Amino acid sequence: MADRYVCRECHRVQDQPEVEICQACGSSSLTEDWAGYVVIAHPEDSEIAEEMDVAEAGKYALKVR
């Protein structure tokens, strides 16, 4: 999974492999150093989304360095 960038702020996995700004929150703090991910389809019904403080459906990294 390290071929994708992840936002250090919101942990969102970026859909485009070569991106400089997070498509979700606009942060420029991206990294390739991350591990594991979860796909959240219905954040309003998800305990994991609540724990991760996620309000938008998408792919999120579990561990970001």
Side-chain angles (χ1 to χ4, degrees), residues 2 4-8 28-34 64-65:
R4 299 268 184 195
Y5 284 99
V6 170
C7 178
R8 285 189 176 108
S28 61
S29 182
L30 303 177
T31 183
E32 290 182 275
D33 191 8
W34 59 279
V64 179
R65 294 177 206 94

Side-chain angles (χ1 to χ4, degrees), residues 1 6 10-13 34-42 46-52 54 56-63:
M1 290 300 165
V6 170
C10 69
H11 291 208
R12 183 87 180 249
V13 177
W34 59 279
Y37 75 98
V38 62
V39 177
I40 297 175
H42 302 283
S46 171
E47 291 180 24
I48 293 172
E50 184 178 336
E51 183 69 29
M52 292 179 68
V54 169
E56 192 174 317
K59 298 177 194 172
Y60 293 87
L62 296 174
K63 185 173 184 179

